[in-house]
Amino acid sequence: MRKLLALLLTSFLIAPAFAADSNTEQDRVKDSGEVLKEILNIPDDIPQDLLDKAECLVILPSVKKGAFGIGGSYGRGVMICRSGEHYTGPWGAPALYALEGVSIGFQLGGQATDFVLLVMNPKGARSLLSSKVKLGADASAAAGPKGRTAEGATDIVMNAEILSYSRNKGLFAGVSLEGSTLRSDGSANQKLYGKSVSAKDIIRLGKVKAPACAAELISLLDKKSPKNRSDPKSLQ
């Protein structure tokens, strides 16, 4: 009898956790859209000309500094790209991604930080879609410049495959994430889309439709950056 009561009590306590977890992936997509909306409304924000030349974005809401080890971090968010063979179509369905690694200095006292990464060329997109990527090693990365335009940005920034930005307690800045890794979150994508799909299946092959929770994120990007203004030769 005691074992039965213990089992019932355990089931009662665990069930809400599973119910809450079933909404986690949808919440991640919605949170990513909200974070991007807020960041794009900052006066001294991501330069419009860089946003218009980005093939993809990675949005990571509330990346938290780990309790163990100096600077250890872990965060989850989405990667979303323009559709079409050469990234010239409307923004497509998002894939869920995870950030892991060590980055000393971008956080203080366990505060959560929002990140937005601009993927600036097809090579950078292919890297992120094919495997786990170490920023600065497998894909060149740099802190993104701020302001209305990217004028005055260094060659390092202009030639980077990925440009990264952060927001912490309202402060917005370009930030280096070298040494951190980005990977597709396969189990989360399976939960979100109801079947096993890779990031490439979602983003490049169009094997699934965008979920309802991504509507605001896609609408925002279609409004803020409807056309890819990269040099057409760079997209071949």
Side-chain angles (χ1 to χ4, degrees):
M1 188 66 175
R2 288 181 179 178
K3 289 183 178 180
L4 179 60
L5 288 173
L7 181 61
L8 290 173
L9 179 59
T10 301
S11 300
F12 178 77
L13 293 173
I14 291 177
F18 277 105
D21 186 64
S22 68
N23 295 323
T24 300
E25 288 70 34
Q26 288 83 357
D27 290 341
R28 282 167 63 180
V29 176
K30 291 179 181 178
D31 290 346
S32 296
E34 188 61 31
V35 164
L36 184 63
K37 179 180 179 181
E38 292 173 0
I39 285 178
L40 292 182
N41 285 331
I42 295 172
D44 189 22
D45 63 358
I46 298 170
Q48 184 66 43
D49 50 347
L50 290 182
L51 180 63
D52 289 341
K53 291 177 181 178
E55 274 68 80
C56 309
L57 270 68
V58 179
I59 306 148
L60 300 151
S62 299
V63 174
K64 291 182 173 62
K65 186 174 181 179
F68 303 100
I70 298 175
S73 60
Y74 181 75
R76 292 178 174 181
V78 307
M79 178 174 173
I80 184 169
C81 299
R82 301 178 195 271
S83 60
E85 181 182 359
H86 300 299
Y87 300 93
T88 53
W91 294 89
L96 297 175
Y97 267 70
L99 174 76
E100 302 162 338
V102 176
S103 186
I104 298 172
F106 72 78
Q107 292 169 316
L108 296 173
Q111 296 168 2
T113 303
D114 301 322
F115 290 98
V116 174
L117 283 62
L118 274 57
V119 184
M120 300 306 298
N121 55 47
K123 182 181 177 182
R126 285 194 296 269
S127 296
L128 289 177
L129 290 172
S130 61
S131 62
K132 184 175 182 178
V133 171
K134 187 172 183 178
L135 300 180
D138 302 320
S140 60
K146 298 194 305 176
R148 292 299 180 185
T149 70
E151 291 180 6
T154 65
D155 289 340
I156 294 175
V157 168
M158 297 310 294
N159 293 324
E161 293 170 11
I162 297 173
L163 299 176
S164 49
Y165 295 86
S166 71
R167 182 184 65 166
N168 189 315
K169 279 196 169 182
L171 298 176
F172 177 73
V175 63
S176 174
L177 286 177
E178 284 197 14
S180 299
T181 59
L182 272 171
R183 62 171 177 83
S184 173
D185 194 341
S187 60
N189 283 318
Q190 184 171 357
K191 290 179 182 178
L192 180 63
Y193 289 103
K195 59 181 178 180
S196 180
V197 283
S198 68
K200 185 177 181 180
D201 289 336
I202 298 166
I203 289 176
R204 298 299 287 153
L205 301 181
K207 290 188 175 181
V208 292
K209 293 183 179 180
C213 58
E216 290 189 16
L217 172 61
I218 294 170
S219 176
L220 173 67
L221 284 169
D222 282 338
K223 178 181 178 181
K224 292 287 188 177
S225 184
K227 185 176 181 179
N228 190 335
R229 299 188 181 279
S230 298
D231 181 351
K233 293 181 179 179
S234 71
L235 300 175
Q236 302 301 317

